[in-house]
């Protein structure tokens, strides 16, 4: 007896349908993988170093850290009512005065996550630092540096250094290229980092002379 043609046709159609579904599935997987690779290619370089980020100044305006590329910078999480406040603000301003602003600057980021020692508004923080310690270096908008709401710039510093601040006035020395050179705990003397700052500044000056 000859086989039923409708059954054979149904089997053939079912096989073709499965093949189409499989092809569509593979295409979707490949497209998803390709999109992922493209995202990594185009988004990752944007945050290749510290100067790639944007932050807010004390007035809430967006500031690109690119403006500090080519300088040595000392990034610090500051607080107004901490046991380290006076000593550190004095030392930071001394560094700013000693090394000048042409090749070096302190970048201060107020944070209230450690003992709630920075409770004020941005303008109050600025007034406190300038009136008490004559601060001339930039103080940015108050941020969080730990947890899910942490500033991306600080998350980068923490991930790159493998050292998260445990209190106020942790310091990260950043090279002119935006890479971490050294970190300093709040209780450590500023002399422990002066030579590193001086070395970076010498490199900057030599490079500029070579480019003339």
């Amino acid at each position: 007896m000859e086989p039923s043609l409708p059954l054979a046709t149904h089997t053939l159609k079912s096989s073709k349908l499965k093949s189409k579904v499989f092809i569509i599935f593979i295409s979707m997987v490949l497209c998803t993988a390709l999109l992922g690779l493209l995202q990594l290619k185009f988004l990752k370089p944007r945050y290749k170093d510290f100067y790639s980020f944007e932050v807010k100044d004390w007035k809430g305006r967006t500031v690109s850290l690119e403006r500090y590329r080519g300088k040595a910078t000392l990034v610090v999480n500051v607080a107004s009512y901490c046991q380290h406040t006076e000593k550190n603000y004095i030392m930071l301003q001394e560094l700013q005065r000693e090394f000048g602003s042409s090749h070096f600057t302190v970048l201060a980021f107020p944070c209230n996550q450690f003992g709630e020692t920075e409770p004020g508004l941005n303008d109050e923080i600025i007034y406190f630092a300038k009136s008490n310690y004559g601060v001339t270096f930039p103080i940015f908008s108050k941020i969080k540096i730990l947890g899910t709401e942490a500033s991306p710039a600080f998350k980068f510093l923490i991930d790159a250094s493998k050292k998260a601040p445990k209190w106020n006035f942790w310091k990260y020395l950043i090279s002119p290229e935006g890479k971490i050179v050294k970190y300093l705990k709040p209780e450590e003397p500023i002399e422990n980092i002066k030579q590193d700052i001086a070395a970076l500044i010498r490199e900057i000056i030599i490079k500029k002379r070579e480019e003339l």
Side-chain angles (χ1 to χ4, degrees):
M1 182 181 292
E2 293 182 0
S4 172
L5 288 176
L7 178 62
T9 303
H10 175 74
T11 303
L12 182 61
K13 287 182 177 179
S14 176
S15 177
K16 286 182 177 179
L17 181 61
K18 287 180 180 179
S19 297
K20 286 182 178 179
V21 170
F22 179 74
I23 291 170
I24 291 170
F25 173 75
I26 293 298
S27 299
M28 289 176 66
V29 171
L30 290 173
C31 286
T32 303
L34 182 61
L35 286 172
L37 289 172
L38 288 171
Q39 187 177 30
L40 286 173
K41 180 180 179 181
F42 290 106
L43 293 183
K44 192 174 180 181
R46 185 183 173 191
Y47 303 115
K48 63 183 182 297
D49 58 59
F50 179 71
Y51 301 127
S52 302
F53 292 89
E54 292 181 341
V55 295
K56 300 287 186 181
D57 69 8
W58 69 277
K59 290 185 178 180
R61 299 170 298 195
T62 300
V63 176
S64 172
L65 292 174
E66 280 290 338
R67 66 169 59 182
Y68 301 106
R69 188 178 296 280
K71 289 187 178 184
T73 57
L74 189 65
V75 181
V76 191
N77 61 305
V78 299
S80 301
Y81 304 103
C82 170
Q83 71 270 35
H84 301 300
T85 297
E86 183 167 343
K87 180 180 179 181
N88 274 269
Y89 262 133
I90 290 172
M91 288 192 305
L92 291 170
Q93 184 55 30
E94 285 179 356
L95 280 180
Q96 188 68 49
R97 187 164 45 246
E98 180 178 346
F99 291 108
S101 57
S102 297
H103 307 301
F104 169 79
T105 189
V106 174
L107 302 178
F109 291 85
C111 178
N112 194 41
Q113 286 185 292
F114 302 104
E116 297 184 347
T117 50
E118 189 69 289
L121 300 174
N122 287 338
D123 56 349
E124 296 171 330
I125 295 168
I126 293 289
Y127 178 79
F128 174 87
K130 289 184 178 294
S131 61
N132 287 285
Y133 306 108
V135 165
T136 58
F137 51 79
I139 299 179
F140 296 91
S141 182
K142 189 160 67 172
I143 61 168
K144 290 184 179 180
I145 60 179
L146 301 176
T148 56
E149 297 180 61
S151 160
F154 254 88
K155 285 179 69 175
F156 171 83
L157 294 179
I158 292 169
D159 292 342
S161 66
K162 310 301 181 186
K163 297 292 180 181
K166 296 180 180 179
W167 199 248
N168 305 303
F169 293 98
W170 275 58
K171 305 167 188 73
Y172 297 90
L173 180 60
I174 313 298
S175 74
E177 296 76 33
K179 307 300 182 184
I180 295 177
V181 176
K182 192 173 185 177
Y183 77 94
L184 206 67
K185 296 179 182 178
E187 64 274 11
E188 292 184 70
I190 209 72
E191 284 72 25
N192 288 6
I193 210 166
K194 273 189 175 184
Q195 289 186 350
D196 300 279
I197 296 172
L200 288 175
I201 291 174
R202 281 196 298 271
E203 291 177 9
I204 294 169
I205 292 171
I206 290 171
K207 185 177 179 180
K208 286 187 175 181
R209 285 175 180 173
E210 290 175 347
E211 291 173 350
L212 292 177

